[in-house]
Amino acid sequence: GENVEQHPSTLSVQEGDSAVIKCTYSDSASNYFPWYKQELGKRPQLIIDIRSNVGEKKDQRIAVTLNKTAKHFSLHITETQPEDSAVYFCAASIGAGTASKLTFGTGTRLQVTL
Amino acid sequence: EPEVTQTPSHQVTQMGQEVILRCVPISNHLYFYWYRQILGQKVEFLVSFYNNEISEKSEIFDDQFSVERPDGSNFTLKIRSTKLEDSAMYFCASSEGLAGGPSTRDTQYFGPGTRLTVL
């Protein structure tokens, strides 16, 4: 089955700096890659996703890149703010508009310091 | 904006007891999921559900677990005889599936979770 690795497990950046979180996946059939942000005690919230027919997607300060050949994808947050502090999870699935399970990475705790 | 809701927010039970966790998915969504997250760990898939039957289940989802859509709005997870290791946050999620547009059909929206504590 699919296995998703995520690095680093913790990341501390100063406000205004950029943060990069990297994930690799094992199943070449995976084609949908969402990123979720989870604040303490709250639900995972989708912040951005990318499909395998696209190499990069951007939404304001957040961007995701995908390298299908290498089977890795990354989350980039620019101009970080204290409210970006949370745990970020990458995930992969064989998206086809059907009931495709998400396989999650182990999470990255991002701390944005003043 | 429509959201997935879950009740209760926190459930405390004794080992061996049955629990039912309830979810109301987003109304036009066709696919439903349960995930769990043990404290400090990653989110793990339990089961997916479509058209009143299980689509896929993980190794975690053994005979002690069952899911049901008893009416047009609720989606439940039952654990028949709880064990200490069932203590976790349980998240329900839903997605539009094929009824949605290309950019939304695979997106899974998560509920706020039910924290299950087994004593």
Side-chain angles (χ1 to χ4, degrees):
Chain A
E2 176 66 281
N3 183 48
V4 177
E5 303 275 344
Q6 183 171 349
H7 300 280
S9 57
T10 60
L11 180 59
S12 183
V13 300
Q14 285 205 317
E15 183 179 6
D17 287 350
S18 295
V20 180
I21 303 170
K22 299 183 179 183
C23 288
T24 59
Y25 61 98
S26 61
D27 190 342
S28 56
S30 290
N31 61 4
Y32 174 65
F33 308 94
W35 285 88
Y36 286 85
K37 175 184 180 183
Q38 188 178 31
E39 296 176 47
L40 192 62
K42 300 208 173 162
R43 75 184 82 194
Q45 287 210 296
L46 179 76
I47 55 172
I48 195 166
D49 56 13
I50 192 167
R51 292 163 204 281
S52 60
N53 58 346
V54 174
E56 184 173 356
K57 184 176 177 181
K58 194 171 180 182
D59 183 3
Q60 299 183 335
R61 295 187 297 109
I62 295 172
V64 57
T65 58
L66 170 65
N67 182 327
K68 280 195 300 182
T69 305
K71 290 196 276 217
H72 66 70
F73 57 112
S74 301
L75 178 71
H76 305 252
I77 306 174
T78 58
E79 299 170 29
T80 53
Q81 299 166 3
E83 51 265 37
D84 294 329
S85 296
V87 179
Y88 291 80
F89 289 96
C90 63
S93 81
I94 303 174
T98 58
S100 297
K101 67 179 182 185
L102 291 173
T103 301
F104 283 84
T106 47
T108 296
R109 182 173 299 281
L110 174 64
Q111 177 84 36
V112 180
T113 57
L114 296 172
Chain B
E1 186 176 322
E3 286 189 331
V4 177
T5 59
Q6 289 183 244
T7 54
S9 56
H10 192 190
Q11 173 91 49
V12 181
T13 190
Q14 295 289 326
M15 192 169 55
Q17 294 297 302
E18 175 184 287
V19 294
I20 298 176
L21 311 183
R22 301 178 194 281
C23 168
V24 179
I26 294 173
S27 63
N28 64 330
H29 286 190
L30 301 178
Y31 299 94
F32 315 118
Y33 313 83
W34 284 101
Y35 293 85
R36 80 170 187 192
Q37 185 178 33
I38 295 171
L39 188 64
Q41 296 186 22
K42 66 177 176 181
V43 178
E44 299 175 289
F45 169 76
L46 292 178
V47 66
S48 58
F49 191 87
Y50 169 69
N51 201 27
N52 281 318
E53 58 184 36
I54 290 173
S55 300
E56 186 177 1
K57 57 185 181 180
S58 72
E59 291 176 354
I60 302 168
F61 194 90
D62 61 22
D63 292 345
Q64 293 301 312
F65 291 85
S66 63
V67 289
E68 193 177 32
R69 187 150 164 87
D71 53 44
S73 59
N74 290 284
F75 178 50
T76 62
L77 174 69
K78 183 194 289 186
I79 309 174
R80 288 191 186 82
S81 177
T82 50
K83 308 187 199 69
L84 295 176
E85 53 265 38
D86 293 329
S87 294
M89 182 74 98
Y90 288 80
F91 291 105
C92 173
S94 69
S95 64
E96 287 185 84
L98 290 171
S103 63
T104 61
R105 57 182 52 165
D106 296 309
T107 303
Q108 294 186 26
Y109 296 91
F110 281 72
T114 292
R115 180 167 299 285
L116 177 64
T117 302
V118 183
L119 302 176

